[in-house]
Amino acid sequence: MAADMSKNRLRWDLKPEDIKTRTDELIKQSKAVYDGVGAVKKEDVSYENVILALANNDCESSVARNVLDFPQHTSADKAVREASTEADKKLSDFDVEMSMRQDVFDNLVAIQDKKDVVDKMKPEAKRYLEKLIKYGRRNGLHLPKDVQDKVKALKKRASDIAIDFNKNLNDENTILEFAEDELAGVPDDFLKRLERNEGGKCKVSLKYPDYFPTMKKCRMPETRRKMETAFNSRCIEENSKIMEELVEIRQKLADLLGYPTHAAYILELRMAKDPDTVATFLKDLALKLRVLQDDELKTFLEYKKEECEKYGLPFENKINYWDMRYYMTMAEEKRYSIDHNKLKEYFPLEVVTKGLLEIYQELLGLKFEEIQKPAVWHEDVTMFSVTDKATSEFMGWFYLDLFPREGKFGHAACFGLQPGCLLSTGDRQMAIAAMVANFTKPTSDAPSLLTHDEVETYFHEFGHVMHDILGQTDLAHFSGTRVERDFVEAPSQMLENWCWEAESLRRMSSHYKDGTPIPDDMIEKLVKARNANAGLFNLRQIMLGTFDQTIHTRAKADTRSIYAKVSDEILRIPATPGTNMCASFGHLADGYDAQYYGYLWSEVYCMDMFYSRFKKEGIMSPKVGQDYRKYILQPGGSIDAMDMLKNFLGREPQQESFLLSKGLKV
């Protein structure tokens, strides 16, 4: 079936004044729906005039909203980005208002009391009703009006300043300047593409394609120190204040709503359920990883001593933050003979993209087709349609926006833009998602070559894209990736495994000059190096998860000193004086507060899924791919994640594969 472009309800040509007008219109239309639902008399409530009315509004308003608030992350026009940020604030304030509607909440409770109505509802609609009532109670709608007013004011403030936090990061554009000899050791292709100032010095930004090559390969400690200090001081004044105010607001809300801490409030709806479970999980794993970390730090110090002697530099017998990535890279090169610069030559972006898309199509039984001359927000963006290979059923579209530009979102992420769900007509709305990343942009004389880390990132984020598109729920509320936050990473993390398997690596690589395949010995070394630095790498994740839990289990937080303390205790590397990594820890202002542990938590499930099914039955097995699609991706959030896992695995999840994947003995 050919893609019917009329089913794509998104548009990217709005001017700042259009965004403002449409924001007001959307609020007016959505408010009318809530007013209608709230006005129904208790005795007259029905599935149609309450549940379906709210569900249809979810579907309509989410598409209209994404058109308005997505451009803040991707538009090349600063005025459009600012208008989009303002729209996001206005709509987020409106969300708070609607989430606090007593009349709507009372009618939801009235429906729940009508057994005859509830009995006729589909399981997904019953789940929706239960969730809405739970959200209402978690918003304090069972509490006195004066308490509700305080909750509302605090939520609006938190929403507004969280948007500012991320806007500050997107707008950040620090440039450092270095002479070529200060960048000794960095790859030639990297050095060549750097802009120069009038005096001939190299201009190095803090964006990923500049920062990581410098930190991994520059052998000048002072250059790395300046880069790391600047990187972990991004937006330090304004964002440290915002994060500390967010911590205070979140605890005040927890107090008003009857929860001991913000973490306790958040985790109630997650797989982990409570802060004690998370703390135990992180501590136990940290303990197991200690032996690996001790060995790694000892090796790094040996390397550092050798380097200092070789280049006549002072040796202070400790590893600093600006040393960490440099010696991690050196360890991979020395212990496993991995040459990342050489390896990169086999991962030109267009070859990786072609291979990645082919693997996903084969694995999940899909067909992708590139749309020619699509209506997009920037000339770098490409667009593809997705159809089911067996039935030719049209599934949706995705966009790829892969290169950095000023004002653009600085990390890699998937944005769901149009939820796959049923429209008010009963027809299916097609799902649309965008993958946004910051890979090196090709130039006329240099291709875009990806590091293996970037290939993994690509696989990971594209996994989220597939989750968004292949979810087949009735309701927008449960579409695609709208699952428990401590499960949402598992489907994508599982697909990272294809970046470590010889069969799939061959399919997404060839030398950028002559197309020769990646040598077998290079693949073998890469696969063996998977657990290189596993101690430090995973303890860094534990440290960030612990920091997140620590600040969200107290009333106030001095983020700088808490970060320094957990870094010393867990990572055993001191935070650089004058920095505060928390000021650029976007996750904590963007929906991952008290939930960063979820990256490691969900890895338990992803490794169990991979080793128990794909590794046993074949990594390209269409049968396992279809089971994965059916049991993990298709349900979206319409059933509990634990039930999805049991359906796919045929048993309760286990931790063994996760521990083995970290190089630990079980």
Side-chain angles (χ1 to χ4, degrees), residues 356 359-360 363-364 455-467 470 489-501 504 508 530 606-607 609-610 614 619-620 625 628 632-633:
L356 175 145
I359 288 167
Y360 271 95
L363 192 64
L364 299 173
V455 174
E456 220 178 346
T457 296
Y458 203 162
F459 255 76
H460 177 99
E461 296 304 340
F462 196 78
H464 286 310
V465 170
M466 289 294 95
H467 199 173
L470 298 177
E489 298 300 335
S492 289
Q493 286 170 330
M494 196 210 65
L495 289 149
E496 290 174 26
N497 285 292
W498 274 253
C499 303
W500 296 97
E501 295 287 326
S504 40
M508 56 172 143
R530 183 168 191 179
C606 92
M607 290 304 178
M609 289 191 284
F610 180 70
F614 285 101
I619 65 159
M620 294 308 298
Y628 185 67
I632 301 295
L633 304 181

Short mmCIF file of all heavy atoms in Angstrom, two decimals, residues 356 359-360 363-364 455-467 470 489-501 504 508 530 606-607 609-610 614 619-620 625 628 632-633:
data_model
loop_
_atom_site.label_atom_id
_atom_site.label_comp_id
_atom_site.label_asym_id
_atom_site.label_seq_id
_atom_site.Cartn_x
_atom_site.Cartn_y
_atom_site.Cartn_z
N LEU A 356 21.88 -0.66 8.77
CA LEU A 356 20.96 -0.59 9.91
C LEU A 356 19.51 -0.74 9.45
O LEU A 356 18.74 -1.54 10.01
CB LEU A 356 21.15 0.74 10.65
CG LEU A 356 20.21 1.07 11.81
CD1 LEU A 356 20.96 1.84 12.89
CD2 LEU A 356 19.02 1.91 11.37
N ILE A 359 18.82 -4.33 8.37
CA ILE A 359 18.73 -5.26 9.51
C ILE A 359 17.37 -5.12 10.19
O ILE A 359 16.69 -6.12 10.47
CB ILE A 359 19.90 -5.01 10.51
CG1 ILE A 359 21.21 -5.52 9.91
CG2 ILE A 359 19.63 -5.69 11.85
CD1 ILE A 359 22.47 -5.06 10.63
N TYR A 360 16.95 -3.90 10.46
CA TYR A 360 15.65 -3.68 11.11
C TYR A 360 14.50 -4.19 10.23
O TYR A 360 13.54 -4.79 10.74
CB TYR A 360 15.45 -2.20 11.42
CG TYR A 360 15.97 -1.80 12.79
CD1 TYR A 360 17.25 -1.28 12.96
CD2 TYR A 360 15.18 -1.94 13.93
CE1 TYR A 360 17.73 -0.90 14.21
CE2 TYR A 360 15.64 -1.58 15.18
CZ TYR A 360 16.92 -1.06 15.32
OH TYR A 360 17.37 -0.71 16.57
N LEU A 363 14.64 -8.10 10.33
CA LEU A 363 14.35 -8.62 11.67
C LEU A 363 12.87 -8.48 12.03
O LEU A 363 12.27 -9.38 12.61
CB LEU A 363 15.21 -7.87 12.69
CG LEU A 363 15.29 -8.42 14.09
CD1 LEU A 363 15.94 -9.79 14.10
CD2 LEU A 363 16.07 -7.46 14.98
N LEU A 364 12.29 -7.34 11.67
CA LEU A 364 10.92 -7.04 12.12
C LEU A 364 9.88 -7.22 11.01
O LEU A 364 8.70 -6.92 11.20
CB LEU A 364 10.85 -5.61 12.67
CG LEU A 364 11.76 -5.35 13.90
CD1 LEU A 364 11.76 -3.88 14.28
CD2 LEU A 364 11.34 -6.20 15.10
N VAL A 455 27.71 4.24 16.26
CA VAL A 455 26.91 3.19 15.60
C VAL A 455 25.93 2.60 16.61
O VAL A 455 24.75 2.39 16.33
CB VAL A 455 27.83 2.09 15.02
CG1 VAL A 455 27.00 0.93 14.45
CG2 VAL A 455 28.74 2.66 13.93
N GLU A 456 26.43 2.39 17.84
CA GLU A 456 25.58 1.85 18.92
C GLU A 456 24.44 2.82 19.25
O GLU A 456 23.29 2.42 19.43
CB GLU A 456 26.46 1.61 20.16
CG GLU A 456 26.13 0.34 20.88
CD GLU A 456 27.05 0.09 22.07
OE1 GLU A 456 28.10 0.72 22.23
OE2 GLU A 456 26.67 -0.78 22.87
N THR A 457 24.79 4.11 19.34
CA THR A 457 23.77 5.14 19.61
C THR A 457 22.70 5.12 18.52
O THR A 457 21.49 5.23 18.80
CB THR A 457 24.44 6.54 19.67
OG1 THR A 457 25.32 6.56 20.78
CG2 THR A 457 23.41 7.65 19.81
N TYR A 458 23.14 5.01 17.28
CA TYR A 458 22.23 4.98 16.13
C TYR A 458 21.24 3.81 16.28
O TYR A 458 20.02 3.97 16.14
CB TYR A 458 23.07 4.82 14.86
CG TYR A 458 22.44 5.30 13.56
CD1 TYR A 458 23.25 5.54 12.44
CD2 TYR A 458 21.06 5.48 13.41
CE1 TYR A 458 22.72 5.96 11.23
CE2 TYR A 458 20.52 5.90 12.21
CZ TYR A 458 21.36 6.14 11.11
OH TYR A 458 20.82 6.55 9.92
N PHE A 459 21.79 2.62 16.57
CA PHE A 459 20.94 1.43 16.75
C PHE A 459 19.95 1.63 17.89
O PHE A 459 18.79 1.26 17.81
CB PHE A 459 21.80 0.19 17.00
CG PHE A 459 21.88 -0.71 15.81
CD1 PHE A 459 22.69 -0.36 14.73
CD2 PHE A 459 21.14 -1.87 15.72
CE1 PHE A 459 22.75 -1.15 13.61
CE2 PHE A 459 21.19 -2.67 14.60
CZ PHE A 459 22.01 -2.32 13.54
N HIS A 460 20.45 2.22 18.98
CA HIS A 460 19.62 2.42 20.17
C HIS A 460 18.44 3.34 19.87
O HIS A 460 17.27 2.99 20.12
CB HIS A 460 20.48 3.00 21.30
CG HIS A 460 19.70 3.31 22.54
ND1 HIS A 460 19.66 2.46 23.63
CD2 HIS A 460 18.90 4.36 22.88
CE1 HIS A 460 18.88 2.98 24.56
NE2 HIS A 460 18.41 4.14 24.13
N GLU A 461 18.74 4.53 19.36
CA GLU A 461 17.66 5.50 19.13
C GLU A 461 16.70 5.02 18.05
O GLU A 461 15.49 5.26 18.13
CB GLU A 461 18.24 6.87 18.76
CG GLU A 461 19.06 7.53 19.87
CD GLU A 461 18.33 7.69 21.20
OE1 GLU A 461 17.08 7.66 21.23
OE2 GLU A 461 19.02 7.82 22.23
N PHE A 462 17.22 4.32 17.05
CA PHE A 462 16.32 3.81 16.01
C PHE A 462 15.41 2.72 16.58
O PHE A 462 14.29 2.53 16.11
CB PHE A 462 17.10 3.29 14.79
CG PHE A 462 16.22 3.14 13.59
CD1 PHE A 462 15.85 4.25 12.84
CD2 PHE A 462 15.72 1.91 13.22
CE1 PHE A 462 15.00 4.12 11.75
CE2 PHE A 462 14.87 1.77 12.14
CZ PHE A 462 14.51 2.88 11.39
N GLY A 463 15.88 2.03 17.63
CA GLY A 463 15.01 1.07 18.33
C GLY A 463 13.79 1.76 18.92
O GLY A 463 12.67 1.24 18.87
N HIS A 464 14.00 2.97 19.49
CA HIS A 464 12.86 3.75 20.00
C HIS A 464 11.90 4.13 18.87
O HIS A 464 10.68 4.13 19.03
CB HIS A 464 13.35 5.04 20.68
CG HIS A 464 13.99 4.85 22.01
ND1 HIS A 464 13.40 4.12 23.03
CD2 HIS A 464 15.16 5.32 22.53
CE1 HIS A 464 14.19 4.15 24.10
NE2 HIS A 464 15.27 4.86 23.82
N VAL A 465 12.48 4.48 17.70
CA VAL A 465 11.66 4.86 16.55
C VAL A 465 10.73 3.70 16.18
O VAL A 465 9.52 3.88 15.97
CB VAL A 465 12.55 5.24 15.34
CG1 VAL A 465 11.72 5.39 14.07
CG2 VAL A 465 13.30 6.54 15.62
N MET A 466 11.29 2.48 16.13
CA MET A 466 10.48 1.30 15.78
C MET A 466 9.41 1.03 16.84
O MET A 466 8.29 0.63 16.51
CB MET A 466 11.38 0.08 15.62
CG MET A 466 12.24 0.10 14.38
SD MET A 466 11.29 0.01 12.83
CE MET A 466 11.12 1.74 12.38
N HIS A 467 9.75 1.25 18.11
CA HIS A 467 8.77 1.05 19.20
C HIS A 467 7.59 2.00 18.99
O HIS A 467 6.42 1.62 19.11
CB HIS A 467 9.46 1.32 20.54
CG HIS A 467 8.76 0.75 21.73
ND1 HIS A 467 9.30 0.76 22.99
CD2 HIS A 467 7.55 0.16 21.86
CE1 HIS A 467 8.45 0.19 23.84
NE2 HIS A 467 7.38 -0.18 23.18
N LEU A 470 5.60 0.79 15.66
CA LEU A 470 4.98 -0.54 15.63
C LEU A 470 3.99 -0.78 16.77
O LEU A 470 3.33 -1.81 16.79
CB LEU A 470 6.07 -1.62 15.63
CG LEU A 470 6.99 -1.57 14.39
CD1 LEU A 470 8.08 -2.62 14.50
CD2 LEU A 470 6.20 -1.76 13.10
N GLU A 489 13.77 1.90 28.08
CA GLU A 489 15.06 1.75 27.40
C GLU A 489 15.34 0.31 26.97
O GLU A 489 16.17 0.08 26.08
CB GLU A 489 16.20 2.24 28.30
CG GLU A 489 16.13 3.72 28.68
CD GLU A 489 16.17 4.67 27.49
OE1 GLU A 489 16.71 4.29 26.43
OE2 GLU A 489 15.65 5.79 27.62
N ALA A 490 14.67 -0.66 27.57
CA ALA A 490 15.01 -2.07 27.32
C ALA A 490 14.89 -2.47 25.84
O ALA A 490 15.80 -3.10 25.30
CB ALA A 490 14.15 -2.99 28.20
N PRO A 491 13.79 -2.14 25.15
CA PRO A 491 13.69 -2.56 23.75
C PRO A 491 14.82 -2.00 22.88
O PRO A 491 15.30 -2.67 21.96
CB PRO A 491 12.32 -2.02 23.31
CG PRO A 491 11.53 -1.90 24.57
CD PRO A 491 12.54 -1.49 25.60
N SER A 492 15.25 -0.76 23.16
CA SER A 492 16.33 -0.14 22.39
C SER A 492 17.69 -0.69 22.78
O SER A 492 18.54 -0.93 21.94
CB SER A 492 16.33 1.37 22.61
OG SER A 492 15.22 1.92 21.98
N GLN A 493 17.88 -0.85 24.08
CA GLN A 493 19.16 -1.40 24.55
C GLN A 493 19.38 -2.80 23.98
O GLN A 493 20.50 -3.16 23.62
CB GLN A 493 19.17 -1.47 26.09
CG GLN A 493 19.32 -0.12 26.75
CD GLN A 493 19.08 -0.19 28.25
OE1 GLN A 493 18.30 -1.02 28.72
NE2 GLN A 493 19.69 0.69 29.00
N MET A 494 18.29 -3.58 23.88
CA MET A 494 18.45 -4.93 23.37
C MET A 494 18.99 -4.90 21.94
O MET A 494 19.82 -5.72 21.55
CB MET A 494 17.12 -5.68 23.41
CG MET A 494 17.36 -7.17 23.27
SD MET A 494 16.03 -8.05 22.50
CE MET A 494 16.04 -7.38 20.87
N LEU A 495 18.56 -3.92 21.16
CA LEU A 495 18.98 -3.86 19.75
C LEU A 495 20.41 -3.37 19.58
O LEU A 495 21.01 -3.54 18.52
CB LEU A 495 17.98 -3.01 18.96
CG LEU A 495 16.64 -3.77 18.81
CD1 LEU A 495 15.46 -2.83 18.75
CD2 LEU A 495 16.66 -4.69 17.61
N GLU A 496 21.00 -2.80 20.66
CA GLU A 496 22.42 -2.44 20.60
C GLU A 496 23.30 -3.68 20.43
O GLU A 496 24.43 -3.60 19.94
CB GLU A 496 22.86 -1.73 21.90
CG GLU A 496 22.28 -0.35 22.10
CD GLU A 496 22.64 0.21 23.47
OE1 GLU A 496 23.68 -0.20 24.03
OE2 GLU A 496 21.88 1.05 23.99
N ASN A 497 22.78 -4.84 20.84
CA ASN A 497 23.57 -6.08 20.74
C ASN A 497 23.99 -6.39 19.31
O ASN A 497 25.01 -7.06 19.09
CB ASN A 497 22.79 -7.26 21.33
CG ASN A 497 22.77 -7.23 22.85
OD1 ASN A 497 23.79 -7.42 23.50
ND2 ASN A 497 21.61 -6.98 23.42
N TRP A 498 23.22 -5.92 18.34
CA TRP A 498 23.55 -6.19 16.93
C TRP A 498 24.84 -5.48 16.52
O TRP A 498 25.45 -5.82 15.52
CB TRP A 498 22.39 -5.79 16.03
CG TRP A 498 21.37 -6.89 15.90
CD1 TRP A 498 21.16 -7.67 14.81
CD2 TRP A 498 20.44 -7.35 16.89
NE1 TRP A 498 20.16 -8.60 15.07
CE2 TRP A 498 19.71 -8.42 16.33
CE3 TRP A 498 20.17 -6.99 18.21
CZ2 TRP A 498 18.72 -9.11 17.03
CZ3 TRP A 498 19.19 -7.67 18.91
CH2 TRP A 498 18.47 -8.71 18.33
N CYS A 499 25.27 -4.49 17.32
CA CYS A 499 26.52 -3.77 17.03
C CYS A 499 27.74 -4.55 17.53
O CYS A 499 28.87 -4.10 17.37
CB CYS A 499 26.51 -2.39 17.68
SG CYS A 499 25.12 -1.38 17.17
N TRP A 500 27.49 -5.69 18.16
CA TRP A 500 28.58 -6.50 18.72
C TRP A 500 28.59 -7.92 18.16
O TRP A 500 29.27 -8.80 18.68
CB TRP A 500 28.45 -6.56 20.25
CG TRP A 500 28.59 -5.22 20.89
CD1 TRP A 500 27.58 -4.39 21.28
CD2 TRP A 500 29.81 -4.53 21.18
NE1 TRP A 500 28.09 -3.23 21.80
CE2 TRP A 500 29.46 -3.28 21.77
CE3 TRP A 500 31.16 -4.85 21.03
CZ2 TRP A 500 30.41 -2.37 22.18
CZ3 TRP A 500 32.11 -3.93 21.44
CH2 TRP A 500 31.73 -2.71 22.02
N GLU A 501 27.82 -8.15 17.11
CA GLU A 501 27.74 -9.47 16.49
C GLU A 501 28.38 -9.41 15.11
O GLU A 501 28.05 -8.52 14.31
CB GLU A 501 26.27 -9.92 16.37
CG GLU A 501 25.58 -10.12 17.71
CD GLU A 501 26.05 -11.37 18.44
OE1 GLU A 501 26.36 -12.38 17.76
OE2 GLU A 501 26.12 -11.35 19.68
N SER A 504 26.03 -9.08 11.91
CA SER A 504 25.40 -7.77 11.65
C SER A 504 26.44 -6.68 11.41
O SER A 504 26.22 -5.77 10.60
CB SER A 504 24.46 -7.39 12.81
OG SER A 504 25.00 -7.74 14.05
N MET A 508 26.81 -3.70 8.05
CA MET A 508 26.68 -2.23 8.14
C MET A 508 28.05 -1.54 8.10
O MET A 508 28.23 -0.47 8.66
CB MET A 508 25.92 -1.84 9.41
CG MET A 508 26.53 -2.40 10.66
SD MET A 508 25.77 -1.75 12.12
CE MET A 508 25.77 -3.16 13.20
N ARG A 530 34.27 -5.71 24.09
CA ARG A 530 32.98 -5.18 24.54
C ARG A 530 32.99 -4.82 26.03
O ARG A 530 32.37 -3.84 26.44
CB ARG A 530 31.86 -6.19 24.26
CG ARG A 530 30.50 -5.63 24.66
CD ARG A 530 29.33 -6.42 24.17
NE ARG A 530 28.09 -5.65 24.38
CZ ARG A 530 26.90 -6.07 24.03
NH1 ARG A 530 26.74 -7.23 23.44
NH2 ARG A 530 25.83 -5.31 24.26
N CYS A 606 16.78 -6.35 28.94
CA CYS A 606 17.21 -6.39 27.54
C CYS A 606 18.17 -7.55 27.31
O CYS A 606 18.09 -8.24 26.29
CB CYS A 606 17.80 -5.05 27.10
SG CYS A 606 19.57 -4.86 27.28
N MET A 607 19.08 -7.78 28.25
CA MET A 607 20.05 -8.87 28.08
C MET A 607 19.37 -10.24 28.20
O MET A 607 19.73 -11.18 27.49
CB MET A 607 21.19 -8.75 29.10
CG MET A 607 22.11 -7.57 28.81
SD MET A 607 22.79 -7.64 27.13
CE MET A 607 23.75 -6.15 27.10
N MET A 609 16.28 -10.85 27.29
CA MET A 609 15.57 -11.05 26.02
C MET A 609 16.54 -11.47 24.92
O MET A 609 16.27 -12.37 24.13
CB MET A 609 14.85 -9.76 25.60
CG MET A 609 13.64 -9.41 26.45
SD MET A 609 12.65 -8.08 25.73
CE MET A 609 13.64 -6.63 26.11
N PHE A 610 17.70 -10.80 24.86
CA PHE A 610 18.65 -11.08 23.78
C PHE A 610 19.23 -12.49 23.90
O PHE A 610 19.20 -13.28 22.95
CB PHE A 610 19.77 -10.05 23.76
CG PHE A 610 20.78 -10.30 22.68
CD1 PHE A 610 20.44 -10.11 21.35
CD2 PHE A 610 22.06 -10.76 22.98
CE1 PHE A 610 21.36 -10.37 20.33
CE2 PHE A 610 22.98 -11.01 21.97
CZ PHE A 610 22.63 -10.81 20.64
N PHE A 614 17.12 -14.38 21.04
CA PHE A 614 17.84 -14.09 19.79
C PHE A 614 19.16 -14.86 19.68
O PHE A 614 19.47 -15.45 18.65
CB PHE A 614 18.10 -12.59 19.65
CG PHE A 614 16.87 -11.82 19.28
CD1 PHE A 614 16.15 -11.12 20.23
CD2 PHE A 614 16.41 -11.79 17.96
CE1 PHE A 614 15.01 -10.40 19.89
CE2 PHE A 614 15.27 -11.08 17.61
CZ PHE A 614 14.57 -10.39 18.58
N ILE A 619 20.27 -14.45 15.60
CA ILE A 619 20.08 -13.00 15.78
C ILE A 619 19.25 -12.38 14.64
O ILE A 619 18.70 -11.31 14.80
CB ILE A 619 21.41 -12.23 15.96
CG1 ILE A 619 22.27 -12.29 14.70
CG2 ILE A 619 22.15 -12.67 17.19
CD1 ILE A 619 23.29 -11.18 14.62
N MET A 620 19.16 -13.07 13.50
CA MET A 620 18.32 -12.55 12.42
C MET A 620 17.09 -13.44 12.21
O MET A 620 16.47 -13.43 11.15
CB MET A 620 19.13 -12.43 11.12
CG MET A 620 20.24 -11.40 11.14
SD MET A 620 19.75 -9.75 11.67
CE MET A 620 18.57 -9.32 10.39
N GLY A 625 12.07 -12.31 15.73
CA GLY A 625 11.78 -10.90 15.41
C GLY A 625 10.28 -10.61 15.47
O GLY A 625 9.86 -9.58 16.00
N TYR A 628 9.11 -10.69 19.04
CA TYR A 628 9.56 -9.44 19.69
C TYR A 628 8.60 -8.31 19.33
O TYR A 628 8.18 -7.53 20.19
CB TYR A 628 10.98 -9.13 19.21
CG TYR A 628 11.60 -7.94 19.90
CD1 TYR A 628 11.92 -7.99 21.24
CD2 TYR A 628 11.87 -6.77 19.19
CE1 TYR A 628 12.50 -6.90 21.88
CE2 TYR A 628 12.45 -5.69 19.82
CZ TYR A 628 12.76 -5.76 21.16
OH TYR A 628 13.33 -4.68 21.79
N ILE A 632 6.58 -7.37 22.59
CA ILE A 632 7.27 -6.26 23.26
C ILE A 632 6.91 -4.90 22.66
O ILE A 632 6.65 -3.94 23.38
CB ILE A 632 8.81 -6.47 23.22
CG1 ILE A 632 9.21 -7.79 23.91
CG2 ILE A 632 9.53 -5.29 23.87
CD1 ILE A 632 8.94 -7.87 25.41
N LEU A 633 6.89 -4.79 21.33
CA LEU A 633 6.67 -3.48 20.70
C LEU A 633 5.19 -3.16 20.49
O LEU A 633 4.75 -2.03 20.72
CB LEU A 633 7.41 -3.41 19.36
CG LEU A 633 8.92 -3.69 19.40
CD1 LEU A 633 9.52 -3.55 18.00
CD2 LEU A 633 9.63 -2.75 20.36
#
